[in-house]
Amino acid sequence: MIIRYQADADLNQAIVTGVLRREPTINFQTAFAARLAGVKDPEVLAIAAQQQRILVSHDRKTMPSEFATFITSNQSSGVIIVSRKLSVEVVIEELVLIWAVSSAEEWVNRIAKLPL
């Protein structure tokens, strides 16, 4: 199955815009479209999992532990934690590369940090 992304509310919107400009066929839902503003991490993870989307977030503080708790009783489509120190261009390149060379099944219950 093809990878689909979900932007967390904290993700820099320029990343989503840049990914879609670079590869318009990528399905990358914005946090606004998913109505994630103010939604707690466990619910964000549930929404992404329900829609079979890899969650892309800048949240290095709480998301990894929330993800660990979430996958004890649920299946996740995966999480990618993006360092704010990376340039937007590098993040775009890595997300497009992940989309191009891996499948959604490879990301089930997996968490990764960018840069890879």
Side-chain angles (χ1 to χ4, degrees), residues 45 54-55 57 63 67 76-81 107 110-112:
L45 288 163
I54 296 172
L55 181 66
S57 177
M63 191 57 75
F67 177 76
S76 168
S77 297
V79 172
I80 297 174
I81 305 293
W107 286 89
R110 180 177 173 197
I111 187 167

Side-chain angles (χ1 to χ4, degrees), residues 8-98:
D8 197 358
D10 71 344
L11 188 70
N12 182 343
Q13 180 61 37
I15 293 169
V16 178
T17 302
V19 166
L20 294 173
R21 281 187 183 151
R22 174 79 191 281
E23 185 53 66
T25 60
I26 292 178
N27 188 320
F28 202 150
Q29 183 167 258
T30 65
F32 179 78
R35 301 174 190 229
L36 297 183
V39 177
K40 303 278 185 201
D41 289 349
E43 191 175 345
V44 170
L45 288 163
I47 291 166
Q50 183 179 41
Q51 295 182 11
Q52 298 179 326
R53 294 179 180 276
I54 296 172
L55 181 66
V56 184
S57 177
H58 284 301
D59 183 0
R60 299 171 63 116
K61 291 182 181 177
T62 61
M63 191 57 75
S65 61
E66 292 290 351
F67 177 76
T69 301
F70 182 81
I71 62 171
T72 61
S73 58
N74 301 282
Q75 182 170 306
S76 168
S77 297
V79 172
I80 297 174
I81 305 293
V82 177
S83 172
R84 291 186 188 272
K85 295 177 183 177
L86 286 178
S87 72
V88 170
E89 293 79 14
V90 169
V91 176
I92 291 166
E93 290 297 321
E94 292 211 15
L95 290 174
V96 170
L97 180 64
I98 289 167

